[in-house]
Each structure stands twice: as structure tokens, then as C-alpha cells.
Amino acid sequence: MRALKEKGFSADKIVENGNKFLIGNGYLGYRGTLDEFTAKECVGLNIAGLYDGVKGKWRETVNAFNPFFCVISLCGVPLDVRRKETFSHEAELDLERGVFRRETKFLVGKAHITLFSERFVSAAEPDLLCSRIRLTSDMDATFSVKAGIDPEIWDLNGPHFSHVESACHGGRAEVKGETQELHIPVRVVCDFSEPLQNFQGGLGEFSVRLKAGETFTLDRVARVLVGKKHFSGRDYEGAYEAHVREWERLFLLARLDAKGDDRAQFALDYSIYHLLILAPKGRYSIAARGLSGQTYKGAVFWDTEIFLLPFYMEVLPACAKRLIEYRIDTLPAAREKAKSYGYGGAFYAWESQNGFDACSDFNVTDVFTHRPVRTYFKDKQIHISADVAYAILRYFERTKDDDLMLEGGLETILSCAEFARTYSYYNHIKGRYELLDVIGPDEYHERVNNNAYTNYMFYFTAKEGLALAEEFAKKYPARFKEVLCHLPEGILQNLKEWTEKLYLLKPNAEGVIEQFDGYFRLEDVRVEEVRSRLRHPNEYWGGSGGVATATRVIKQADLITLFNLYPDRFSEEVRRANYDFYLPYTEHGSSLSRCSYAIAACGIGRREEAYTALLESAEIDLRGGGKQWAGEIYIGGTHPAASGGAWIAATRGLGFERKGDLK
Ligand code: BGC
């Protein structure tokens, strides 16, 4: 069995393990916490695509009430992993079946007690999650059990529910509430295999008499019902079988063969596990921290298009289509955003919540003054629109789905290009269009001019968009005319002229392309030197006063990402020169960075370097740790883009192939 196992318990690892042992099905994510834990230990049942904002706080995804809370006590001693009565503990994430298990042994008085529980979020039914507890004792004993649906929710910017009510009839309990902002009803209904008594505030109790050696089993079958959905009961065994059947199918379908390399095999299995638990079930997309919580407001970033989409295109094309449709569906919001800044076309949300830009003007808090710092990610990270267009282009290249292109795809691509055109400035002296005042992928250098990644990406967007427009005009003249109706007059001609004059930064004598105008003039120091200048471990490196701002040190792969997306447009010599130049300046302060260098290293024949970077990326959530704070803002959680990027490097660069029948 391929499983992640961890023996022993450490209170310091509660949050980390919540991420590491996460289970999910693309719609719901349940953190890898324990039955006896509560909101204090960051128990989280995260719902994809459901957002709520509480006045004065950030809008974020909603966590549901917790149906798996359960504390069992003997003689007043709770079987809680943190108590001194615990003498062994093991947690396990079964990657092949998508099941989390824990087994904890306690010694209470003279009784040896084993508490086992397993849980899964159904791969077969999006709103279903189930758990089974088994309790044994080597002495006759009477246990008291407190179980139910815990209405206390771990929120970063909550509480998100008002009108919370609970009810229970025999073994069926329910807690319901309404989201504060949009008044969306959310109910968690759970069938307990044992009737709950003295039910109050979501929780009830009962007692269990066990004879020595006997096992008591408590099954919990729950659904998270958003809107007006109905509850339908399900037996645990049946739900388990259906889940495992579907999960095994998915896992076998997706697995890669790491050619006998156990470490790489496990790291990739684990990454693929995380990609599978995020595969969307509806027309929503994947949040940057997946379903591990509300970090980054549960919003969708460019991570999805650039780092995740390739996996889904290859393994689960229907999911890839949903990711694309999500962007097409949110085109009106992107147009609105462009308009609000005075531009044409489509400017996608930097942090998209169903199209709405959740990125705040002050995305970082200064650790010294505790004052919010003005950041310009939302306003200036315009490359997001090129990333969206790129994803649609690649999706079309692979699927040749003409209908999708005619029903929004092409319009989106051209609107993204049009946005950049209207954003650009014509430099009369130099006779070229420039993209001024932007932020590239490297967020430490804000408001720079002509970020090479951004300029090239929009150039390719426009070029490829125009070529497709030509193709579709010939193939489907009538339908293409309809597409044009939704676009500004003269767009094709305007874009054509624009691409001819858009400034594209060229390699210097050493083959290096300057990341943006003036980058080479910045202080030439390496990452370690800049790190040594920090006065606080959580200090933000970028922004106006950051330690990296006036230096060449960059947060993450910037230009290198461009080469990964368009390798054939740059010679190997140029790609190598830039790789060698930028790597020592890269802090890898984003989980998107290592995998980008892994992919790039593959492309220049540096297999060993690629392999090391691939493992660093694929093992990011196994290792835990990582950056948990940006200034005073919590940014912990899982790192789907690192898993997706590792998958790209493994398949496209290192040649690991999919083997549907791996044992
Ligand atoms: C990175 C972005 C990324 C975001 C979400 C930030 O730290 O700089 O490139 O999209 O995290 O993963």
C-alpha cells in the first residue's frame, strides 16, 4: 500500500499535519486533524467555490460545520492524543484509496484502549464524506461519547454563518446556517450509527459498554449541502466501496512510473494524490492553497493555468475543460475590471473569486509597524490575462475543441490581448509599444517597466490569437462574425499593428535578457546576503521598503517561466544563459519557483539539477514548514502548483511516463 505514515504526536505539527494529511474530492477538503480536535486545532472542512465576506474583513472560501468531531472518555479521562495517557499514535494517508486513518492507543487506569478511525471524502459523490471510529479495550469498560456536528469553525476572516441552528432526530443530526454576505444556506447533515442523546448546539452524547476484547463501531455519513439540496442517506460500507473504486481508478490512471526510484516514486505519488483531490466537480477552479483552508482567500491565481492545467489536460480532460470554462465564465468580470482602470479588453482578477478580484490593496502587513503595506499585485500583475489566454490556447491545441473556442475561448484570448494593447504606451521616440508600470511573476519588484515575461506573453497571446482568428474566419465565417460582434471594432487590425511594434527585450552579449528595464542596474547581491539583512524572520522582502527591492534578488522564477511556456521560441543557449544568470538571485520565496527551475533545467540537459529541484517541489508538503507568513498574514496550506509543476518536470523533462497498471 502506498501511504504516508507518521508515528508519534507533536502538538507543534498540528497545523502542518492538517495540510499534509488533507483529504478531498475537488469540492470538499477535510484537513488532516484528529477526531477530538476543534477549531482551535484548525479543523477545516473547506468548500470549493463558495465565498463569503464578513464586513471589514477579507472575503474567503467558507468552511462548513464539522461532522467528525468526537471525544470519547473513560472515567472522565478524554481519549485525546495530547493527554499523558496516550502511549502510541500513528496517522496514515492511504494514497491509493484516498483514506485517512489514525490509530491511537491509550492506557487509562489499567485498561489498554485502542481508538481507530478512518475517513474519506467521497470520490464518487461530491457532497459526501464519511468516517468510521472503532474502539476496543482489553478490559470491560463504559465509555461516554460526545459526538455531533461541531458548529465552531476555524476561520481566518469569519465567522461566515448567521442563523446557525441545529437539530437531531435519533441518529440524524443537522447543523445549518446562512452565509453572511450572500445568504446562501449551508447544511451539514450527518447520520450517526448510534442515536445521539442530550443533543444541544450540534453535539450529543451516548455511552458505550464494552466487554474486554469487543469492538464498538461508530459510523458517520455526512453531506455538505449548499443551497437547496436534499439529504439522502447512505450506508458506510456502500459509500466506502464506491469511493475506493473511483479513487483507485483515478490513482491508477494518473500514476507515473519513476523507474524504480523509490523516493521520486513516493514524492510523485503524493503530488498526484494532491492534484486528484483538487479535480473540480463543477464550473469552478482550483484555489492556490487547494482545499486546505482559506489562505489567499480561497482564490484562484495564475497557478491554475500555468502549473496545474497540464496535469488535468493529460489525465482528466473533463476537469481541464472546467478550468477553462471558469475563465470564460468570468470574462465579463475581467472586462469590468479592465474598464474600471480605464482599459479595454479583459483584465483578469489577480486573486479570482468567481471573477471578483479578492486581492486587497494592502496584501501585506508590516511586521514592525503592524501597518498595512500598499501592494500593487491586483493593479499591476497584468500578466494574469496573458496566462489565462495561454491556457486556453494550449487547451485548444490539445483538444481541437472548436466549439469551446467559438463559444467564448477565442473571444477571451483576443480580449486579453486587447487589454494589453490598451494598457500599453507608445514611445514615440523609440517607435515602440511598451508595457510600463507592471509587476512580473517576481513580486519583489513592483511597478517596473517592460517586464520581459509580461511583454513576451502578451506578444504571443496576440500573435496566436490572430492566427486562430484567421483560421476560424475561414472555417466558420458566420459563427466567427458573431464572435467579432462581442469585440471592439477593428480589433484584429489593431492587434496586428501592435504586435509589430511591441517592445520585446532581447538577449545581451552574454545571452541574458534583462528581467525588466533597469534590472541590471540593481545592487548585485545574492540571496544569502539579502537574507542576512532581515531584521525579522517574517519581514516582507518586497514592496517599497523590502530587503530585496533595490537588489537583483527575485522572489521566484520570472523569465525562466516564459522559457518553459515557449521553449521553442528561445535558443537553448539563451535559455541556459538565463538559467545560470537568474538562479543565484532567486530566493524561491514562492512554491512556484523550484518546479519552474526543474522544468527549465530539463530543457537545457541538466538532468541532475532538474531531479533535485523536482524533488524539492514534489516534497514541499511532505516536508512541511515552508513560508507560513507574508508579513503578518498567514499563508500556510498545501501547494498545488508545486505538485503540478513537479508533474510537468517529471513528465515533460525527465521522461517519467504514465503507467495505468503500476502495482
Ligand atoms: C506568488 C504568486 C502566486 C501566489 C499563489 C505568491 O506568493 O508570488 O506567483 O500566484 O503566491 O500561489
Side-chain angles (χ1 to χ4, degrees):
M1 180 177 69
R2 300 187 181 267
L4 167 68
K5 292 185 187 204
E6 201 166 288
K7 280 197 165 83
F9 173 79
S10 153
D12 296 341
K13 284 188 166 181
I14 290 177
V15 177
E16 186 180 312
N17 281 350
N19 301 321
K20 202 166 165 179
F21 289 91
L22 178 76
I23 53 173
N25 67 359
Y27 178 54
L28 301 174
Y30 193 98
R31 288 173 58 79
T33 47
L34 302 178
D35 307 80
E36 60 271 33
F37 288 176
T38 64
K40 276 198 224 89
E41 290 80 25
C42 308
V43 172
L45 171 49
N46 198 234
I47 309 174
L50 180 66
Y51 297 97
D52 177 75
V54 175
K55 221 171 169 208
K57 295 186 186 176
W58 281 352
R59 204 184 203 215
E60 61 191 7
T61 39
V62 171
N63 284 334
F65 311 107
N66 171 25
F68 294 158
F69 172 76
C70 180
V71 178
I72 302 174
S73 308
L74 179 62
C75 307
V77 177
L79 304 182
D80 183 319
V81 72
R82 289 161 292 193
R83 308 250 337 180
K84 65 176 183 351
E85 290 82 5
T86 307
F87 70 86
S88 80
H89 175 71
E90 190 169 338
E92 175 183 286
L93 185 62
D94 180 343
L95 305 179
E96 271 174 81
R97 287 171 197 81
V99 177
F100 170 82
R101 302 188 185 92
R102 62 87 62 98
E103 188 176 84
T104 314
K105 294 186 192 276
F106 300 90
L107 182 63
V108 181
K110 287 189 179 145
H112 290 85
I113 298 148
T114 303
L115 172 64
F116 168 86
S117 81
E118 67 178 15
R119 69 168 93 104
F120 60 91
V121 179
S122 174
E125 295 179 59
D127 55 18
L128 184 72
L129 63 163
C130 307
S131 166
R132 168 170 278 179
I133 286 183
R134 280 205 309 260
L135 183 71
T136 52
S137 163
D138 66 350
M139 290 176 72
D140 293 4
T142 301
F143 294 87
S144 53
V145 181
K146 187 164 189 185
I149 304 172
D150 188 356
E152 291 297 319
I153 289 177
W154 171 52
D155 277 322
L156 296 182
N157 292 287
H160 292 289
F161 289 111
S162 60
H163 305 96
V164 177
E165 287 171 25
S166 62
C168 182
H169 303 286
R172 180 166 296 176
E174 167 171 349
V175 175
K176 63 179 180 185
E178 202 178 273
T179 58
Q180 308 243 19
E181 192 187 8
L182 297 175
H183 309 291
I184 297 171
V186 175
R187 289 191 300 149
V188 176
V189 184
C190 184
D191 275 342
F192 293 80
S193 56
E194 199 72 25
L196 302 178
Q197 287 145 17
N198 303 328
F199 188 82
Q200 217 188 3
L203 304 178
E205 51 194 32
F206 57 88
S207 56
V208 177
R209 266 167 186 243
L210 268 190
K211 288 235 174 308
E214 261 180 12
T215 300
F216 165 73
T217 303
L218 174 67
D219 289 344
R220 294 169 289 179
V221 176
R223 287 189 196 270
V224 176
L225 304 165
V226 176
K228 294 207 165 91
K229 291 208 183 114
H230 290 290
F231 179 80
S232 56
R234 193 84 164 85
D235 66 300
Y236 185 88
E237 297 290 346
Y240 183 85
E241 269 170 39
H243 161 71
V244 169
R245 211 177 314 124
E246 178 58 7
W247 182 269
E248 281 179 346
R249 185 187 74 78
L250 292 172
F251 196 60
L252 281 181
L253 181 78
R255 283 195 73 209
L256 296 175
D257 179 0
K259 302 176 183 161
D261 177 339
D262 288 345
R263 181 172 172 195
Q265 186 68 59
F266 189 71
L268 288 169
D269 282 349
Y270 186 71
S271 291
I272 286 167
Y273 167 86
H274 274 283
L275 295 168
L276 289 176
I277 65 170
L278 294 179
K281 294 282 186 288
R283 281 171 91 115
Y284 49 82
S285 190
I286 301 173
R289 288 288 180 267
L291 290 162
S292 62
Q294 297 152 316
T295 290
Y296 287 146
K297 306 144 194 153
V300 181
F301 291 62
W302 70 312
D303 305 31
T304 307
E305 281 68 32
I306 303 300
F307 297 86
L308 299 177
L309 186 73
F311 169 82
Y312 297 104
M313 275 206 297
E314 174 84 26
V315 181
L316 299 169
C319 291
K321 187 169 185 184
R322 285 181 200 135
L323 300 177
I324 298 294
E325 284 168 341
Y326 168 81
R327 291 303 192 176
I328 295 176
D329 290 349
T330 53
L331 176 62
R335 283 193 164 130
E336 257 324 292
K337 180 175 168 187
K339 199 165 150 206
S340 74
Y341 285 97
Y343 305 115
F347 183 8
Y348 273 87
W350 177 241
E351 299 184 15
S352 177
Q353 295 177 340
N354 302 331
F356 164 82
D357 203 330
C359 187
S360 97
D361 290 343
F362 303 90
N363 234 22
V364 170
T365 307
D366 184 273
V367 287
F368 303 110
T369 61
H370 309 291
R371 290 196 185 116
V373 177
R374 178 69 163 105
T375 47
Y376 293 87
F377 309 141
K378 171 172 97 182
D379 322 78
K380 301 294 171 189
Q381 218 157 153
I382 63 167
H383 68 83
I384 178 67
S385 286
D387 306 325
V388 168
Y390 176 85
I392 303 175
L393 286 160
R394 300 291 74 81
Y395 179 80
F396 175 68
E397 190 174 63
R398 193 176 172 92
T399 60
K400 297 286 173 234
D401 185 343
D402 287 359
D403 284 332
L404 189 89
M405 290 305 269
L406 288 161
E407 284 154 22
L410 191 52
E411 189 183 327
T412 305
I413 296 166
L414 292 171
S415 301
C416 289
E418 173 68 359
F419 159 64
R421 189 188 72 80
T422 58
Y423 188 96
S424 68
Y425 145 91
Y426 189 70
N427 184 328
H428 286 275
I429 296 170
K430 295 189 171 152
R432 65 192 190 196
Y433 286 102
E434 301 187 350
L435 290 167
L436 305 183
D437 197 7
V438 303
I439 305 178
D442 158 33
E443 291 183 340
Y444 288 165
H445 297 94
E446 297 193 20
R447 312 196 67 163
V448 299
N449 294 338
N450 294 312
N451 165 257
Y453 174 88
T454 307
N455 287 26
Y456 273 101
M457 285 298 287
F458 277 117
Y459 173 77
F460 293 135
T461 301
K463 279 293 234 195
E464 290 195 72
L466 286 170
L468 274 182
E470 210 177 308
E471 187 185 320
F472 276 84
K474 278 195 201 126
K475 220 165 149 188
Y476 306 98
R479 289 178 79 185
F480 181 68
K481 259 197 189 146
E482 267 173 50
V483 173
L484 278 187
C485 284
H486 298 109
L487 293 164
E489 230 187 291
I491 181 172
L492 301 179
Q493 189 54 31
N494 289 342
L495 283 176
K496 192 166 171 296
E497 281 164 24
W498 183 69
T499 51
E500 280 158 15
K501 292 199 176 140
L502 176 62
Y503 173 45
L504 297 174
L505 295 89
K506 294 285 176 308
N508 65 12
E510 283 78 45
V512 180
I513 299 177
E514 192 170 29
Q515 188 173 291
F516 51 80
D517 290 351
Y519 172 85
F520 289 150
R521 291 199 304 272
L522 295 173
E523 191 190 1
D524 185 3
V525 279
R526 302 287 166 99
V527 178
E528 280 326 306
E529 166 60 24
V530 167
R531 197 187 304 280
S532 73
R533 296 176 185 176
L534 288 173
R535 282 187 287 139
H536 187 291
N538 298 340
E539 198 177 321
Y540 184 57
W541 289 40
S544 57
V547 278
T549 308
T551 76
R552 287 187 182 179
V553 167
I554 61 177
K555 179 177 179 185
Q556 63 201 90
D558 189 294
L559 199 59
I560 300 304
T561 316
L562 171 69
F563 302 144
N564 293 342
L565 302 182
Y566 286 102
D568 303 338
R569 302 296 187 116
F570 301 89
S571 71
E572 192 173 326
E573 224 180 315
V574 165
R575 285 186 274 125
R576 184 172 301 120
N578 283 280
Y579 176 97
D580 286 334
F581 179 84
Y582 284 105
L583 184 56
Y585 294 120
T586 310
E587 190 233 343
H588 303 295
S590 156
S591 56
L592 278 49
S593 195
R594 294 272 184 206
C595 54
S596 300
Y597 277 97
I599 301 165
C602 294
I604 53 170
R606 304 265 182 87
R607 247 190 111 78
E608 266 180 41
E609 280 173 50
Y611 176 80
T612 311
L614 169 123
L615 284 184
E616 282 190 48
S617 197
E619 290 177 347
I620 187 169
D621 292 323
L622 284 170
R623 268 196 317 274
K627 263 199 185 171
Q628 304 287 315
W629 300 93
E632 286 181 347
I633 312 280
Y634 174 69
I635 56 168
T638 54
H639 300 85
S643 305
W647 183 89
I648 301 172
T651 51
R652 306 233 170 122
L654 290 167
F656 293 163
E657 278 167 20
R658 211 139 58 87
K659 282 268 166 69
D661 56 353
L662 265 186
K663 284 279 162 311

